[in-house]
Amino acid sequence: MSYAEDLRRVRTREGRSVGSMVLIALGGLFWGYLLLRWLINWEWVPFGTPGEPLVSPETLGLTGGTATAFQSLPQLAEGAYITVLITVLSILLGLVLAVPLSVARVYGRWTKYLSLSFTELIRGTPLIAQLYLLYYGLNLSQFFRGLTQFGPFTVRTPVWAVDLGPLKVQTALWVALIGFTINSAAYQAEYIRSAIESVDPQQLVAARSVGLTQREGILHVVLPQTLRFAIPGWTNELVYLIKYSSLATFITVAELFRRADAVASDTFDYTAMFTVVALVYIGIVITATRLMGYVEDRVALPGLGQTRGRS
Amino acid sequence: MSDPLLRVEDLHKSYGDETVLRGIDFELERGDVEILSGPSGSGKSTLLRCVNRLTEPDSGTIYLDGERVSGAGTDVNELRRQVGMVFQDFNLFLHLTAAENITLGLRRVKGLGKAEARERAMEHLDRVGLADQAGSYPAELSGGQKQRVGIARALAMDPKLMLFDEPTSALDPELVGEVTSVMRELADEGMTMLVVTHEMGFAREAASRMMFLDQGQIVERGPPEQLFQHPEQARTAEFLQRITQLHGGEST
């Protein structure tokens, strides 16, 4: 097949849509399996045992590391739930903090220095040190023990009821959420700050000239443009956070990496386990970037954040 | 009604060592269309921006409709609600459609409801001949169309005074006419306008008065015909002659 023919196939819409369909099919299998395992764990479906595969590896004729990996998939699915939960909640809560932090950084008088100090402190210290400070130093885990009886989270205790008992894992998860939220807020604030600075300052001048206050101008004119500019950087932070969330393993949160690590330590099938866990992370990351690409396209406006048809 | 619409007294402004305005005094009566002319760096744009305090003057006093609107105890947002501004680079809100560019101020500043704001926006778009572009984003409009939306956005707020900061300078020559004709209609309807422009055709036909600025001072002021034909100052004569050669063609 000629190079030109290759190029034509790559460039045509048909070629692209076949690629997309394969990706969507793989994604459907991936998330379908995870969802099924979560439902089994919550006992929302009348079949399956939490933590046990539906078909034993022996039945499929698997041996060695492959069998170990297959046997551990339900465990990894549970871990993936925690990983997704930590990532989604931390990135969103982090965003809620990051917007005022970045606005303060650009427009604030004295709050600018507060925001700057916070950002530099968080970005200047290792995430693992921040998690250790919260978990071992401040002993937040003990603090949250009093909260475990509240809210919808107790309903999902079976998902976390592994290894160290539900109570401890659950409270550690709260600590991890706080740690990642604070950490992510600092990084997101930087992405958003640079996006604010890429909005033409005359936009705010125009808003003020119509009679809008500074606050209204920022809210209704600057930020809607900013958030569109910020999406690519923000996606980058999301991708980092998915993988950084594995640090929660060191404060005992039974997330994806910890599950794989535990099985690998027991069976010595390190290669198989870490290969499989890497594939699960890739699945989550590719889904995240595709979703954000979709969001970016959806919120794009003529002349603002358009990725397609840009000349 | 003896008060002039706008009275500017002894306005001074410096940026660091550079003095931009050195004591500007003038008045505008209701319905006046005044052209601000002068060489680059003479302080025209700064003077215009001082009037609605997008630039804060160092000293001096501004009265709008008899009320002091500069200095301590005055509300800058209140002033801007009464003074419309049209920019050289249009400065339309890029994330909003032509209609939304107009409704934003109507809703947030004037507190109109959604439907009412929309209706007002459409009236003003219609007035500048752009009702069919209501749903277009700025990136989809030509320069002339953008500027007409910019004018509609300012007009929709019912200003007592309209400021134009070189409204046609960023436009391709063939698009200048559509903007100046909207401005001329506005002048005919009795709007009080303060216009920084090099469009001498517009100045001749629409302006009631003209002010020539140089080095932060008003050098000469009078009816356009007088400044064009019998300027008292050599600087005025020289500048207007040069500018007329460049921009003097009949504006349509």
Side-chain angles (χ1 to χ4, degrees):
Chain A
M1 197 181 291
S2 72
Y3 172 74
E5 176 71 3
D6 268 351
L7 201 64
R8 190 196 63 78
R9 279 165 52 93
V10 169
R11 283 187 178 165
T12 50
R13 197 169 284 280
E14 295 83 43
R16 214 184 299 156
S17 71
V18 169
S20 296
M21 277 164 67
V22 170
L23 203 61
I24 288 168
L26 284 175
L29 281 175
F30 179 75
W31 289 103
Y33 175 76
L34 289 182
L35 190 64
L36 178 68
R37 291 309 319 187
W38 297 346
L39 292 177
I40 290 172
N41 279 329
W42 298 330
E43 292 167 352
W44 286 7
V45 286
F47 56 90
T49 316
E52 288 295 320
L54 290 171
V55 186
S56 76
E58 289 78 26
T59 318
L60 297 172
L62 299 174
T63 53
T66 325
T68 308
F70 186 84
Q71 179 73 34
S72 71
L73 284 179
Q75 300 271 328
L76 296 188
E78 285 178 14
Y81 176 74
I82 309 286
T83 292
V84 170
L85 195 72
I86 291 177
T87 307
V88 170
L89 289 180
S90 314
I91 197 103
L92 292 179
L93 294 173
L95 179 63
V96 169
L97 293 179
V99 170
L101 274 171
S102 53
V103 168
R105 179 78 188 279
V106 177
Y107 297 106
R109 285 173 208 265
W110 59 272
T111 49
K112 171 194 290 184
Y113 300 102
L114 273 184
S115 169
L116 182 66
S117 313
F118 173 81
T119 309
E120 291 305 318
L121 179 70
I122 297 301
R123 292 202 311 158
T125 54
L127 175 52
I128 188 71
Q130 295 160 16
L131 291 175
Y132 273 23
L133 181 71
L134 293 175
Y135 187 75
Y136 294 114
L138 301 178
N139 210 355
L140 276 186
S141 192
Q142 291 293 337
F143 174 74
F144 279 117
R145 232 154 249 231
L147 291 178
T148 54
Q149 303 307 314
F150 296 102
F153 292 93
T154 48
V155 178
R156 291 171 189 172
T157 301
V159 182
W160 302 321
V162 192
D163 298 344
L164 302 158
L167 217 57
K168 182 144 190 204
V169 174
Q170 196 170 350
T171 51
L173 182 73
W174 283 103
V175 182
L177 279 176
I178 291 174
F180 288 121
T181 297
I182 290 173
N183 187 268
S184 186
Y187 283 91
Q188 291 185 60
E190 278 299 285
Y191 285 119
I192 296 172
R193 175 184 66 86
S194 82
I196 289 178
E197 284 169 354
S198 68
V199 172
D200 184 353
Q202 291 300 310
Q203 291 283 310
L204 188 53
V205 171
R208 304 294 319 262
S209 82
V210 178
L212 267 68
T213 61
Q214 170 104 343
R215 190 193 176 88
E216 290 171 327
I218 291 169
L219 199 61
H220 298 292
V221 175
V222 177
L223 283 181
Q225 298 184 34
T226 295
L227 295 179
R228 287 182 171 87
F229 287 136
I231 289 174
W234 195 82
T235 304
N236 206 32
E237 169 61 17
L238 176 62
V239 166
Y240 271 121
L241 189 59
I242 291 167
K243 290 165 300 167
Y244 281 163
S245 70
S246 62
L247 287 179
T249 192
F250 295 113
I251 57 166
T252 76
V253 177
E255 46 69 65
L256 180 53
F257 184 81
R258 190 177 181 88
R259 304 302 179 107
D261 193 36
V263 176
S265 308
D266 284 348
T267 61
F268 301 109
D269 286 319
Y270 289 107
T271 309
M273 287 313 299
F274 290 128
T275 304
V276 170
V277 83
L279 289 175
V280 179
Y281 276 109
I282 287 179
I284 300 173
V285 166
I286 290 180
T287 307
T289 53
R290 298 289 287 200
L291 275 180
M292 289 313 298
Y294 175 77
V295 170
E296 193 179 357
D297 282 349
R298 281 302 299 267
V299 302
L301 296 174
L304 260 192
Q306 234 174 358
T307 51
R308 293 192 183 140
R310 217 183 242 165
S311 54
Chain B
M1 295 290 277
S2 61
D3 282 321
L5 181 72
L6 177 72
R7 191 161 91 230
V8 172
E9 278 179 0
D10 199 28
L11 211 61
H12 288 261
K13 177 71 189 175
S14 317
Y15 294 105
D17 290 342
E18 194 189 348
T19 306
V20 185
L21 298 177
R22 19 185 129 225
I24 302 282
D25 294 274
F26 70 95
E27 292 179 355
L28 279 188
E29 298 298 334
R30 282 169 190 77
D32 271 355
V33 175
E34 174 118 15
I35 304 292
L36 268 168
S37 185
S40 166
S42 58
K44 317 178 288 271
S45 287
T46 304
L47 173 55
L48 204 68
R49 279 163 182 262
C50 279
V51 171
N52 72 347
R53 291 172 63 196
L54 285 176
T55 297
E56 199 62 47
D58 296 337
S59 65
T61 317
I62 302 164
Y63 299 88
L64 187 70
D65 226 356
E67 300 224 4
R68 185 170 61 86
V69 291
S70 70
T74 56
D75 180 358
V76 69
N77 294 314
E78 187 49 43
L79 163 65
R80 289 178 188 148
R81 275 161 213 177
Q82 302 181 54
V83 180
M85 177 100 178
V86 174
F87 299 88
Q88 177 175 356
D89 294 319
F90 328 124
N91 292 345
L92 295 187
F93 306 129
L94 299 177
H95 64 301
L96 298 178
T97 63
E100 289 165 347
N101 260 276
I102 302 173
T103 54
L104 179 63
L106 290 175
R107 298 202 59 197
R108 301 291 155 196
V109 180
K110 295 242 170 212
L112 295 189
K114 203 170 181 177
E116 203 183 341
R118 174 85 194 171
E119 200 177 316
R120 284 271 288 277
M122 290 309 296
E123 280 168 24
H124 281 92
L125 280 177
D126 194 38
R127 182 174 180 182
V128 298
L130 288 173
D132 56 335
Q133 298 289 345
S136 301
Y137 286 93
E140 300 171 312
L141 299 173
S142 74
Q145 290 173 327
K146 282 184 214 180
Q147 195 57 295
R148 281 145 70 196
V149 174
I151 294 173
R153 176 175 71 182
L155 280 181
M157 304 302 290
D158 280 330
K160 293 176 177 167
L161 168 69
M162 285 282 286
L163 308 175
F164 292 82
D165 190 3
E166 303 205 35
T168 57
S169 299
L171 296 178
D172 289 336
E174 74 269 23
L175 301 179
V176 168
E178 62 186 80
V179 172
T180 50
S181 71
V182 167
M183 289 168 64
R184 202 170 318 159
E185 278 170 33
L186 204 53
D188 290 344
E189 289 165 21
M191 175 61 74
T192 314
M193 298 158 67
L194 189 55
V195 186
V196 174
T197 186
H198 296 307
E199 284 303 318
M200 291 304 140
F202 174 78
R204 278 208 181 88
E205 291 164 33
S208 43
R209 284 223 267 190
M210 193 162 168
M211 185 190 301
F212 180 71
L213 247 68
D214 196 15
Q215 293 176 0
Q217 286 179 311
I218 299 175
V219 175
E220 196 167 348
R221 190 171 178 229
E225 289 312 307
Q226 182 192 317
L227 262 71
F228 280 113
Q229 283 162 18
H230 312 288
E232 289 171 6
Q233 302 289 329
R235 273 187 291 177
T236 316
E238 192 194 346
F239 178 78
L240 288 182
Q241 194 181 3
R242 264 190 294 135
I243 209 80
T244 307
Q245 281 165 0
L246 282 170
H247 299 277
E250 289 88 78
S251 64
T252 46

